[in-house]
Amino acid sequence: MKIYRFRYRKKILYGVLKEEFLFPIKGSVFGDFRIEDSPVPISEVFILPPVEPTKIVAVGANYRDHAQEMGRPLPEVPLLFLKPSSAVIGARDIIAYPEMSKQVDYEGELAVVIKKKARQLADDDPVEEHILGYTCFNDITARDLQARDVQFTRAKSFDTFAACGPCIDTDVDPSALQVKTFLNGKLRQSGNTRNLIFTVPFLVRFISRIMTLFPGDIISTGTPAGVGPMQPGDRVDVQIEGIGTLSNQVMRKTE
Ligand code: MG
């Protein structure tokens, strides 16, 4: 099932995609809901970010090839950082190139969307019931500021630096998904989640022992090799097998 969050006639709705139509749901996307029989053509809606997370937990250096290209040792435990909810944009939004940076990179990633509160999960606790599904994520990074600052916060947190969508897919198997990033239509990153150093179930359990994960929170699982800079005017697409394509334009903010 592909679940979209969208605006239609001034209402914000969740809906399930069937062919080219969205069928709105009644109830909570994180709990019980039913699918209504009042479809809207997807071409007539404005697609919104699939969730409004309380936080985004991102994982650094979680693919061997990317750790190597960044000159980082392979982590023994997940290297975590946070991105603020204020950075979230959806699949139709613009990435704003900040004045403070001279190198803004894309990082295509598979992201997990939390369904049910997760806290202190044990090794034998089932993880699946805490996961609603998966989405594409672009962990946009001001690389020059990341190199300059000790903390990742400034480099990772500009408004619009957490692009996600276009939908939440509830059926894909996260253990072997092809993740590709295209810059202006040219392939720049091609990885597979089978090469993740820390798997999705491991990450959900590990993070739940540090901080409570709430419905709608996002865990972005890290990026494969091939990260690189974007310029104002560029289009960046993060495409994940079975989920879809997250497509955003980069612009210098004028206001
Ligand atoms: Mg990343």
Side-chain angles (χ1 to χ4, degrees):
M1 184 162 61
K2 285 186 167 52
I3 302 173
Y4 283 75
R5 183 166 160 268
F6 58 96
R7 193 168 60 234
Y8 179 67
R9 293 186 176 162
K10 295 186 179 164
K11 275 196 202 154
I12 293 175
L13 301 165
Y14 273 103
V16 174
L17 186 71
K18 288 180 188 167
E19 292 168 357
E20 294 302 304
F21 292 89
L22 287 167
F23 288 71
I25 66 161
K26 188 138 187 155
S28 168
V29 74
F30 304 108
D32 293 328
F33 63 81
R34 64 184 170 83
I35 300 168
E36 303 213 292
D37 194 20
S38 50
V40 181
I42 193 166
S43 57
E44 289 180 19
V45 310
F46 186 84
I47 295 172
L48 296 169
V51 279
E52 294 181 290
T54 71
K55 59 187 162 299
I56 298 156
V57 189
V59 186
N62 200 22
Y63 287 83
R64 268 178 197 80
D65 55 359
H66 176 60
Q68 280 159 2
E69 78 176 346
M70 300 303 285
R72 288 181 180 277
L74 294 187
E76 287 173 15
V77 291
L79 171 66
L80 305 180
F81 59 92
L82 290 171
K83 289 172 82 89
S85 56
S86 47
V88 170
I89 58 168
R92 298 277 170 88
D93 296 318
I94 301 284
I95 298 165
Y97 200 108
E99 279 195 11
M100 233 181 250
S101 173
K102 292 192 165 43
Q103 188 186 342
V104 176
D105 283 11
Y106 53 81
E107 293 189 1
E109 309 193 358
L110 173 74
V112 181
V113 177
I114 296 296
K115 178 179 187 179
K116 186 179 144 195
K117 186 168 155 182
R119 189 171 166 269
Q120 298 287 352
L121 297 184
D123 285 344
D124 55 356
D125 282 337
V127 162
E128 294 70 27
E129 65 191 61
H130 296 279
I131 297 175
L132 176 59
Y134 300 89
T135 192
C136 310
F137 193 87
N138 192 342
D139 171 23
I140 300 149
T141 304
R143 195 69 70 200
D144 52 345
L145 305 183
Q146 185 187 28
R148 202 175 306 155
D149 295 353
V150 175
Q151 299 282 336
F152 283 10
T153 305
R154 180 165 66 138
K156 297 280 190 178
S157 302
F158 285 95
D159 284 356
T160 77
F161 270 28
C164 55
C167 62
I168 303 163
D169 190 289
T170 60
D171 302 321
V172 290
D173 172 1
S175 67
L177 291 174
Q178 199 70 37
V179 180
K180 291 181 177 173
T181 309
F182 299 84
L183 189 69
N184 300 319
K186 292 202 180 87
L187 183 65
R188 297 289 192 218
Q189 292 187 283
S190 181
N192 192 294
T193 58
R194 84 168 85 86
N195 297 320
L196 284 174
I197 298 171
F198 301 104
T199 63
V200 166
F202 184 93
L203 289 171
V204 173
R205 290 195 180 96
F206 182 82
I207 295 165
S208 81
R209 294 168 195 170
I210 302 162
M211 61 190 102
T212 304
L213 292 164
F214 294 107
D217 280 356
I218 290 174
I219 298 171
S220 201
T221 57
T223 200
V227 299
M230 306 179 288
Q231 303 302 330
D234 286 348
R235 195 187 80 238
V236 60
D237 298 325
V238 178
Q239 187 182 81
I240 302 181
E241 185 185 359
I243 301 175
T245 303
L246 167 69
S247 187
N248 298 96
Q249 193 91 25
V250 183
M251 305 276 271
R252 201 169 283 283
K253 217 174 174 181
T254 48
E255 45 307 284

